[in-house]
PDB file of all heavy atoms in Angstrom:
ATOM      1  N   VAL A 103     131.256 116.142 149.445  1.00  0.00           N
ATOM      2  CA  VAL A 103     132.564 116.430 148.745  1.00  0.00           C
ATOM      3  C   VAL A 103     133.439 116.759 149.912  1.00  0.00           C
ATOM      4  O   VAL A 103     133.091 117.534 150.845  1.00  0.00           O
ATOM      5  CB  VAL A 103     132.449 117.254 147.627  1.00  0.00           C
ATOM      6  CG1 VAL A 103     132.009 118.609 147.912  1.00  0.00           C
ATOM      7  CG2 VAL A 103     133.842 117.210 146.895  1.00  0.00           C
ATOM      8  N   ALA A 104     134.754 116.330 149.919  1.00  0.00           N
ATOM      9  CA  ALA A 104     135.750 116.849 150.823  1.00  0.00           C
ATOM     10  C   ALA A 104     136.059 118.241 150.413  1.00  0.00           C
ATOM     11  O   ALA A 104     136.306 118.633 149.185  1.00  0.00           O
ATOM     12  CB  ALA A 104     136.979 116.019 150.731  1.00  0.00           C
ATOM     13  N   SER A 105     136.058 119.159 151.466  1.00  0.00           N
ATOM     14  CA  SER A 105     136.393 120.587 151.172  1.00  0.00           C
ATOM     15  C   SER A 105     137.834 120.736 150.981  1.00  0.00           C
ATOM     16  O   SER A 105     138.657 119.717 151.261  1.00  0.00           O
ATOM     17  CB  SER A 105     135.863 121.436 152.351  1.00  0.00           C
ATOM     18  OG  SER A 105     136.722 121.099 153.567  1.00  0.00           O
ATOM     19  N   GLY A 106     138.287 121.859 150.557  1.00  0.00           N
ATOM     20  CA  GLY A 106     139.722 122.134 150.497  1.00  0.00           C
ATOM     21  C   GLY A 106     140.531 121.898 151.745  1.00  0.00           C
ATOM     22  O   GLY A 106     141.588 121.345 151.758  1.00  0.00           O
ATOM     23  N   MET A 107     139.837 122.452 152.818  1.00  0.00           N
ATOM     24  CA  MET A 107     140.505 122.143 154.126  1.00  0.00           C
ATOM     25  C   MET A 107     140.471 120.619 154.513  1.00  0.00           C
ATOM     26  O   MET A 107     141.458 120.182 155.034  1.00  0.00           O
ATOM     27  CB  MET A 107     139.712 122.909 155.222  1.00  0.00           C
ATOM     28  CG  MET A 107     140.379 122.934 156.635  1.00  0.00           C
ATOM     29  SD  MET A 107     141.990 123.783 156.597  1.00  0.00           S
ATOM     30  CE  MET A 107     141.452 125.461 156.700  1.00  0.00           C
ATOM     31  N   GLY A 108     139.296 119.958 154.083  1.00  0.00           N
ATOM     32  CA  GLY A 108     139.358 118.468 154.393  1.00  0.00           C
ATOM     33  C   GLY A 108     140.465 117.748 153.775  1.00  0.00           C
ATOM     34  O   GLY A 108     141.127 116.872 154.288  1.00  0.00           O
ATOM     35  N   LYS A 109     140.746 118.115 152.450  1.00  0.00           N
ATOM     36  CA  LYS A 109     141.739 117.426 151.671  1.00  0.00           C
ATOM     37  C   LYS A 109     143.164 117.849 152.277  1.00  0.00           C
ATOM     38  O   LYS A 109     144.001 116.985 152.427  1.00  0.00           O
ATOM     39  CB  LYS A 109     141.686 117.962 150.240  1.00  0.00           C
ATOM     40  CG  LYS A 109     140.533 117.460 149.460  1.00  0.00           C
ATOM     41  CD  LYS A 109     140.410 118.078 148.098  1.00  0.00           C
ATOM     42  CE  LYS A 109     139.185 117.588 147.340  1.00  0.00           C
ATOM     43  NZ  LYS A 109     139.073 118.185 146.117  1.00  0.00           N
ATOM     44  N   ALA A 110     143.257 119.070 152.657  1.00  0.00           N
ATOM     45  CA  ALA A 110     144.577 119.516 153.225  1.00  0.00           C
ATOM     46  C   ALA A 110     144.927 118.926 154.543  1.00  0.00           C
ATOM     47  O   ALA A 110     145.952 118.474 154.713  1.00  0.00           O
ATOM     48  CB  ALA A 110     144.498 121.096 153.346  1.00  0.00           C
ATOM     49  N   ILE A 111     143.931 118.731 155.418  1.00  0.00           N
ATOM     50  CA  ILE A 111     144.100 118.197 156.680  1.00  0.00           C
ATOM     51  C   ILE A 111     144.521 116.633 156.574  1.00  0.00           C
ATOM     52  O   ILE A 111     145.391 116.130 157.378  1.00  0.00           O
ATOM     53  CB  ILE A 111     142.934 118.423 157.667  1.00  0.00           C
ATOM     54  CG1 ILE A 111     143.400 118.343 159.141  1.00  0.00           C
ATOM     55  CG2 ILE A 111     141.888 117.453 157.465  1.00  0.00           C
ATOM     56  CD1 ILE A 111     142.477 118.815 160.097  1.00  0.00           C
ATOM     57  N   LEU A 112     144.052 115.997 155.598  1.00  0.00           N
ATOM     58  CA  LEU A 112     144.372 114.657 155.390  1.00  0.00           C
ATOM     59  C   LEU A 112     145.800 114.594 154.793  1.00  0.00           C
ATOM     60  O   LEU A 112     146.712 113.806 155.301  1.00  0.00           O
ATOM     61  CB  LEU A 112     143.466 113.932 154.451  1.00  0.00           C
ATOM     62  CG  LEU A 112     142.093 113.496 154.985  1.00  0.00           C
ATOM     63  CD1 LEU A 112     141.272 112.791 153.987  1.00  0.00           C
ATOM     64  CD2 LEU A 112     142.317 112.548 156.125  1.00  0.00           C
ATOM     65  N   GLU A 113     146.018 115.377 153.630  1.00  0.00           N
ATOM     66  CA  GLU A 113     147.236 115.236 152.978  1.00  0.00           C
ATOM     67  C   GLU A 113     148.491 115.686 153.703  1.00  0.00           C
ATOM     68  O   GLU A 113     149.433 115.103 153.828  1.00  0.00           O
ATOM     69  CB  GLU A 113     147.194 116.147 151.669  1.00  0.00           C
ATOM     70  CG  GLU A 113     148.346 115.930 150.768  1.00  0.00           C
ATOM     71  CD  GLU A 113     148.156 116.741 149.462  1.00  0.00           C
ATOM     72  OE1 GLU A 113     147.108 116.729 148.991  1.00  0.00           O
ATOM     73  OE2 GLU A 113     149.261 117.377 149.130  1.00  0.00           O
ATOM     74  N   HIS A 114     148.244 116.796 154.624  1.00  0.00           N
ATOM     75  CA  HIS A 114     149.389 117.330 155.392  1.00  0.00           C
ATOM     76  C   HIS A 114     149.397 116.966 156.875  1.00  0.00           C
ATOM     77  O   HIS A 114     150.182 117.345 157.480  1.00  0.00           O
ATOM     78  CB  HIS A 114     149.439 118.873 155.174  1.00  0.00           C
ATOM     79  CG  HIS A 114     149.528 119.326 153.777  1.00  0.00           C
ATOM     80  ND1 HIS A 114     150.569 119.261 153.048  1.00  0.00           N
ATOM     81  CD2 HIS A 114     148.579 120.010 153.041  1.00  0.00           C
ATOM     82  CE1 HIS A 114     150.415 119.683 151.838  1.00  0.00           C
ATOM     83  NE2 HIS A 114     149.175 119.995 151.755  1.00  0.00           N
ATOM     84  N   GLY A 115     148.353 116.064 157.191  1.00  0.00           N
ATOM     85  CA  GLY A 115     148.226 115.577 158.549  1.00  0.00           C
ATOM     86  C   GLY A 115     148.546 114.102 158.623  1.00  0.00           C
ATOM     87  O   GLY A 115     149.685 113.599 158.603  1.00  0.00           O
ATOM     88  N   VAL A 116     147.457 113.384 158.741  1.00  0.00           N
ATOM     89  CA  VAL A 116     147.523 111.883 158.975  1.00  0.00           C
ATOM     90  C   VAL A 116     148.187 111.180 157.825  1.00  0.00           C
ATOM     91  O   VAL A 116     149.113 110.368 158.100  1.00  0.00           O
ATOM     92  CB  VAL A 116     146.083 111.347 159.148  1.00  0.00           C
ATOM     93  CG1 VAL A 116     146.119 109.787 159.319  1.00  0.00           C
ATOM     94  CG2 VAL A 116     145.449 112.004 160.346  1.00  0.00           C
ATOM     95  N   GLU A 117     147.903 111.510 156.580  1.00  0.00           N
ATOM     96  CA  GLU A 117     148.557 110.847 155.439  1.00  0.00           C
ATOM     97  C   GLU A 117     150.048 111.109 155.440  1.00  0.00           C
ATOM     98  O   GLU A 117     150.799 110.189 155.184  1.00  0.00           O
ATOM     99  CB  GLU A 117     147.934 111.210 154.083  1.00  0.00           C
ATOM    100  CG  GLU A 117     146.504 110.754 153.814  1.00  0.00           C
ATOM    101  CD  GLU A 117     145.906 111.265 152.540  1.00  0.00           C
ATOM    102  OE1 GLU A 117     146.616 112.002 151.791  1.00  0.00           O
ATOM    103  OE2 GLU A 117     144.834 110.885 152.189  1.00  0.00           O
ATOM    104  N   GLU A 118     150.451 112.288 155.781  1.00  0.00           N
ATOM    105  CA  GLU A 118     151.874 112.606 155.785  1.00  0.00           C
ATOM    106  C   GLU A 118     152.609 111.762 156.888  1.00  0.00           C
ATOM    107  O   GLU A 118     153.699 111.312 156.666  1.00  0.00           O
ATOM    108  CB  GLU A 118     152.098 114.273 156.108  1.00  0.00           C
ATOM    109  CG  GLU A 118     153.490 114.664 156.129  1.00  0.00           C
ATOM    110  CD  GLU A 118     154.266 114.392 154.831  1.00  0.00           C
ATOM    111  OE1 GLU A 118     153.665 114.376 153.697  1.00  0.00           O
ATOM    112  OE2 GLU A 118     155.478 114.426 154.872  1.00  0.00           O
TER     113      GLU A 118
END
Side-chain angles (χ1 to χ4, degrees):
V103 64
S105 68
M107 188 64 82
K109 292 175 185 175
I111 204 167
L112 282 178
E113 187 175 320
H114 301 291
V116 178
E117 288 179 3
E118 180 64 20

